[in-house]
Amino acid sequence: MPQNKFYLDDAKTQEVIISWRGIWKDISITHNGVAIGGFENFRALKGGNRFHLNDGSALDIHWSQAYGDQGLRIAHNGRALKGSSGDPEAKLKGIFGISIFIGALNFIVGALGQFGVSEMLEDMGANWVMMLVGLIIVGLGYVVMSQKSAGALIGIIIVIAADVILSLYFMMEEGGRPSFAGIGLKVLFIIQFARGFGAIREYHEQKNSTIQ
């Protein structure tokens, strides 16, 4: 029987297990081994419900369909549990994953042009600068994930936006046609990165509420 396990505290003394049968059927929820409720099926899970624990705290569970936040969302007194959809740290790890993808792509394409492996890429301006940009994006992505830095996130967006603008400029200078598919993809990446500001804010709000 498949299941997901979450914890209400960092010491992992408060365990919440969500298990189900088949494709999200007969969903059951337990807290430290005691059943507290469940959902009949996936449709009911999408609607969500609030469950009350013995200490009077509330556990809100539903399947989130929000863009960039799809998945099982579990919040304890309004705070998303680690590993669930809505967890700001998980969102920032996702941003780091995107930065690795973009950075690696820039580095590889730049290397193919720089070392003469592809004359076409070389003619398009793929060189060591593109390789450096790739490394910078990965580095900034790591800072965003590890330091929860809004400044590093701004840096990534600026670098990608500058890349789009410069690519359009040089393409028009050479009389070529810009790749709108490639530009559109980069714009989508920028939008995804911009969502990271909300995750950083949520992380610091949760951290401050824990300290208080």
Side-chain angles (χ1 to χ4, degrees):
M1 193 172 189
Q3 64 179 29
N4 283 339
K5 185 181 297 184
F6 306 91
Y7 295 95
L8 305 184
D9 57 342
D10 293 334
K12 297 185 177 181
T13 61
Q14 300 288 317
E15 181 183 74
V16 173
I17 295 179
I18 299 179
S19 55
W20 61 95
R21 182 177 59 83
I23 304 177
W24 292 102
K25 295 180 180 179
D26 300 328
I27 304 164
S28 64
I29 304 162
T30 62
H31 172 234
N32 285 350
V34 178
I36 61 173
F39 299 93
E40 182 179 356
N41 50 39
F42 186 65
R43 182 177 180 179
L45 179 61
K46 287 192 292 183
N49 202 356
R50 170 170 288 186
F51 305 91
H52 294 280
L53 306 182
N54 291 333
D55 60 3
S57 61
L59 199 64
D60 294 296
I61 302 176
H62 77 282
W63 186 275
S64 173
Q65 295 180 293
Y67 175 72
D69 189 24
Q70 298 93 338
L72 185 63
R73 181 157 191 160
I74 308 175
H76 182 229
N77 287 341
R79 178 181 179 179
L81 298 187
K82 288 185 177 181
S84 71
S85 172
D87 173 21
E89 291 193 70
K91 292 180 182 178
L92 295 176
K93 287 180 180 178
I95 285 178
F96 180 48
I98 296 174
S99 70
I100 289 178
F101 172 77
I102 298 174
L105 185 62
N106 273 268
F107 187 88
I108 293 172
V109 171
L112 291 174
Q114 175 66 32
F115 299 111
V117 178
S118 171
E119 292 185 6
M120 182 184 71
L121 292 176
E122 186 178 3
D123 293 338
M124 292 173 61
N127 52 31
W128 65 271
V129 175
M130 203 169 186
M131 296 170 64
L132 180 61
V133 168
L135 293 176
I136 290 174
I137 291 175
V138 172
L140 289 173
Y142 178 77
V143 174
V144 169
M145 181 189 69
S146 61
Q147 303 299 320
K148 300 357 180 238
S149 170
L153 190 55
I154 291 172
I156 293 177
I157 293 174
I158 290 174
V159 169
I160 297 177
D163 179 46
V164 171
I165 294 171
L166 290 174
S167 296
L168 281 172
Y169 173 76
F170 288 121
M171 188 68 68
M172 292 174 66
E173 280 286 301
E174 296 176 2
R177 293 185 60 186
S179 172
F180 290 107
I183 292 172
L185 182 60
K186 290 178 181 178
V187 170
L188 288 177
F189 283 140
I190 290 175
I191 293 173
Q192 191 63 36
F193 281 125
R195 293 177 179 275
F197 292 112
I200 292 174
R201 184 184 66 255
E202 290 173 14
Y203 172 82
H204 288 299
E205 287 176 351
Q206 289 187 6
K207 186 177 181 181
N208 291 335
S209 65
T210 301
I211 293 175
Q212 294 172 359

Short mmCIF file of all heavy atoms in Angstrom, two decimals, residues 10 29 36 51-52 54 57 65 67 93 96 99 122 130-131 136 139 145 149 153 172 176 203-204 207:
data_model
loop_
_atom_site.label_atom_id
_atom_site.label_comp_id
_atom_site.label_asym_id
_atom_site.label_seq_id
_atom_site.Cartn_x
_atom_site.Cartn_y
_atom_site.Cartn_z
N ASP A 10 10.83 19.28 13.65
CA ASP A 10 12.17 18.94 13.19
C ASP A 10 12.74 17.72 13.90
O ASP A 10 13.59 17.02 13.36
CB ASP A 10 13.11 20.14 13.39
CG ASP A 10 12.74 21.31 12.48
OD1 ASP A 10 12.14 21.06 11.41
OD2 ASP A 10 13.05 22.47 12.85
N ILE A 29 -5.40 8.76 6.73
CA ILE A 29 -4.43 9.66 7.35
C ILE A 29 -4.27 9.28 8.81
O ILE A 29 -5.27 9.14 9.54
CB ILE A 29 -4.89 11.13 7.24
CG1 ILE A 29 -5.15 11.49 5.78
CG2 ILE A 29 -3.87 12.07 7.85
CD1 ILE A 29 -6.00 12.73 5.60
N ILE A 36 -6.89 9.66 11.89
CA ILE A 36 -7.58 10.93 12.15
C ILE A 36 -8.57 11.27 11.02
O ILE A 36 -9.25 12.29 11.09
CB ILE A 36 -6.58 12.09 12.32
CG1 ILE A 36 -5.73 12.28 11.06
CG2 ILE A 36 -5.70 11.87 13.54
CD1 ILE A 36 -4.85 13.51 11.10
N PHE A 51 -8.32 18.55 9.45
CA PHE A 51 -8.36 17.52 10.49
C PHE A 51 -7.77 18.11 11.77
O PHE A 51 -6.74 18.79 11.73
CB PHE A 51 -7.58 16.28 10.06
CG PHE A 51 -8.05 15.71 8.74
CD1 PHE A 51 -7.46 16.13 7.55
CD2 PHE A 51 -9.07 14.78 8.69
CE1 PHE A 51 -7.89 15.63 6.34
CE2 PHE A 51 -9.50 14.27 7.48
CZ PHE A 51 -8.90 14.69 6.29
N HIS A 52 -8.40 17.82 12.90
CA HIS A 52 -7.93 18.35 14.18
C HIS A 52 -7.20 17.27 14.97
O HIS A 52 -7.67 16.14 15.09
CB HIS A 52 -9.11 18.89 14.99
CG HIS A 52 -9.76 20.09 14.35
ND1 HIS A 52 -9.23 21.36 14.46
CD2 HIS A 52 -10.87 20.21 13.58
CE1 HIS A 52 -9.99 22.22 13.80
NE2 HIS A 52 -10.99 21.54 13.25
N ASN A 54 -5.07 15.91 18.55
CA ASN A 54 -5.41 15.87 19.98
C ASN A 54 -4.98 17.13 20.73
O ASN A 54 -5.59 17.49 21.74
CB ASN A 54 -4.78 14.64 20.64
CG ASN A 54 -5.42 13.35 20.17
OD1 ASN A 54 -6.59 13.34 19.78
ND2 ASN A 54 -4.67 12.26 20.20
N SER A 57 -4.42 21.48 17.44
CA SER A 57 -3.90 22.07 16.21
C SER A 57 -4.63 21.51 15.00
O SER A 57 -5.29 20.47 15.08
CB SER A 57 -2.39 21.83 16.09
OG SER A 57 -2.11 20.45 16.03
N GLN A 65 -3.52 22.20 -7.33
CA GLN A 65 -3.42 22.21 -8.78
C GLN A 65 -2.89 23.54 -9.29
O GLN A 65 -2.91 23.81 -10.49
CB GLN A 65 -4.79 21.92 -9.41
CG GLN A 65 -5.31 20.51 -9.12
CD GLN A 65 -6.66 20.26 -9.75
OE1 GLN A 65 -7.66 20.85 -9.37
NE2 GLN A 65 -6.70 19.38 -10.73
N TYR A 67 -0.42 26.40 -10.58
CA TYR A 67 0.75 26.32 -11.44
C TYR A 67 2.03 26.47 -10.62
O TYR A 67 2.16 27.40 -9.82
CB TYR A 67 0.70 27.42 -12.50
CG TYR A 67 1.94 27.48 -13.37
CD1 TYR A 67 2.18 26.50 -14.33
CD2 TYR A 67 2.87 28.49 -13.21
CE1 TYR A 67 3.31 26.54 -15.12
CE2 TYR A 67 4.01 28.54 -13.99
CZ TYR A 67 4.22 27.57 -14.95
OH TYR A 67 5.36 27.60 -15.72
N LYS A 93 14.54 24.45 -4.05
CA LYS A 93 15.33 23.37 -4.64
C LYS A 93 14.95 23.18 -6.10
O LYS A 93 15.81 22.87 -6.94
CB LYS A 93 15.10 22.06 -3.86
CG LYS A 93 15.77 22.04 -2.50
CD LYS A 93 15.52 20.72 -1.79
CE LYS A 93 16.19 20.70 -0.41
NZ LYS A 93 15.90 19.43 0.31
N PHE A 96 16.73 25.73 -8.10
CA PHE A 96 18.12 25.32 -8.29
C PHE A 96 18.22 24.30 -9.41
O PHE A 96 19.14 24.34 -10.24
CB PHE A 96 18.69 24.75 -6.99
CG PHE A 96 20.12 24.30 -7.10
CD1 PHE A 96 21.09 25.10 -7.68
CD2 PHE A 96 20.50 23.06 -6.61
CE1 PHE A 96 22.41 24.70 -7.78
CE2 PHE A 96 21.82 22.64 -6.70
CZ PHE A 96 22.77 23.46 -7.29
N SER A 99 18.00 26.11 -12.65
CA SER A 99 19.24 26.84 -12.92
C SER A 99 20.34 25.89 -13.40
O SER A 99 21.15 26.25 -14.25
CB SER A 99 19.70 27.60 -11.67
OG SER A 99 20.17 26.74 -10.66
N GLU A 122 29.34 28.02 -33.49
CA GLU A 122 30.42 29.00 -33.45
C GLU A 122 30.03 30.27 -34.19
O GLU A 122 30.27 31.38 -33.72
CB GLU A 122 31.69 28.39 -34.06
CG GLU A 122 32.91 29.28 -33.94
CD GLU A 122 34.15 28.62 -34.51
OE1 GLU A 122 34.04 27.50 -35.05
OE2 GLU A 122 35.23 29.24 -34.40
N MET A 130 29.45 32.30 -23.18
CA MET A 130 28.25 31.49 -22.91
C MET A 130 28.53 30.44 -21.84
O MET A 130 27.66 30.16 -20.99
CB MET A 130 27.81 30.81 -24.21
CG MET A 130 26.35 30.41 -24.25
SD MET A 130 25.87 29.91 -25.93
CE MET A 130 24.11 29.69 -25.67
N MET A 131 29.74 29.91 -21.86
CA MET A 131 30.13 28.95 -20.83
C MET A 131 30.16 29.61 -19.47
O MET A 131 29.67 29.06 -18.47
CB MET A 131 31.50 28.35 -21.16
CG MET A 131 31.55 27.55 -22.45
SD MET A 131 33.25 27.12 -22.95
CE MET A 131 33.74 26.06 -21.59
N ILE A 136 27.71 30.98 -14.03
CA ILE A 136 27.16 32.02 -13.16
C ILE A 136 25.72 31.68 -12.75
O ILE A 136 25.34 31.81 -11.58
CB ILE A 136 27.19 33.39 -13.86
CG1 ILE A 136 28.64 33.86 -14.00
CG2 ILE A 136 26.37 34.42 -13.09
CD1 ILE A 136 28.80 35.14 -14.81
N GLY A 139 25.79 28.91 -10.21
CA GLY A 139 26.27 29.43 -8.93
C GLY A 139 25.21 30.25 -8.21
O GLY A 139 25.00 30.09 -7.00
N MET A 145 19.16 28.61 -3.31
CA MET A 145 18.70 27.45 -2.56
C MET A 145 19.29 27.41 -1.15
O MET A 145 18.57 27.18 -0.17
CB MET A 145 19.07 26.16 -3.30
CG MET A 145 18.61 24.89 -2.58
SD MET A 145 19.26 23.38 -3.31
CE MET A 145 21.01 23.52 -2.90
N SER A 149 18.44 33.60 -0.89
CA SER A 149 18.82 34.97 -1.26
C SER A 149 17.97 35.52 -2.40
O SER A 149 18.00 35.00 -3.52
CB SER A 149 20.30 35.01 -1.65
OG SER A 149 20.64 36.24 -2.22
N LEU A 153 18.52 35.62 -6.72
CA LEU A 153 17.42 35.33 -7.63
C LEU A 153 17.26 36.47 -8.65
O LEU A 153 17.03 36.22 -9.84
CB LEU A 153 16.13 35.15 -6.83
CG LEU A 153 14.91 34.62 -7.57
CD1 LEU A 153 15.22 33.31 -8.27
CD2 LEU A 153 13.74 34.44 -6.61
N MET A 172 19.27 40.31 -35.08
CA MET A 172 18.76 41.34 -35.98
C MET A 172 19.89 42.05 -36.72
O MET A 172 19.75 42.43 -37.88
CB MET A 172 17.92 42.35 -35.19
CG MET A 172 16.62 41.76 -34.64
SD MET A 172 15.73 42.90 -33.55
CE MET A 172 15.27 44.19 -34.74
N GLY A 176 19.28 37.80 -39.33
CA GLY A 176 18.66 36.49 -39.16
C GLY A 176 17.30 36.59 -38.49
O GLY A 176 16.86 37.66 -38.07
N TYR A 203 9.55 31.28 3.37
CA TYR A 203 10.57 30.64 4.20
C TYR A 203 10.93 31.52 5.39
O TYR A 203 10.98 31.04 6.54
CB TYR A 203 11.82 30.35 3.36
CG TYR A 203 12.99 29.87 4.20
CD1 TYR A 203 13.08 28.54 4.58
CD2 TYR A 203 13.97 30.76 4.63
CE1 TYR A 203 14.14 28.09 5.36
CE2 TYR A 203 15.03 30.33 5.41
CZ TYR A 203 15.11 29.00 5.78
OH TYR A 203 16.15 28.57 6.57
N HIS A 204 11.19 32.78 5.13
CA HIS A 204 11.59 33.68 6.22
C HIS A 204 10.43 33.93 7.19
O HIS A 204 10.66 34.07 8.40
CB HIS A 204 12.10 35.00 5.64
CG HIS A 204 13.45 34.88 4.97
ND1 HIS A 204 14.58 34.48 5.65
CD2 HIS A 204 13.83 35.08 3.68
CE1 HIS A 204 15.61 34.46 4.82
NE2 HIS A 204 15.18 34.81 3.62
N LYS A 207 10.29 30.88 9.35
CA LYS A 207 11.44 30.86 10.25
C LYS A 207 11.24 31.83 11.40
O LYS A 207 11.52 31.50 12.56
CB LYS A 207 12.71 31.22 9.47
CG LYS A 207 13.99 31.10 10.30
CD LYS A 207 15.20 31.38 9.44
CE LYS A 207 16.49 31.25 10.26
NZ LYS A 207 17.69 31.54 9.43
#
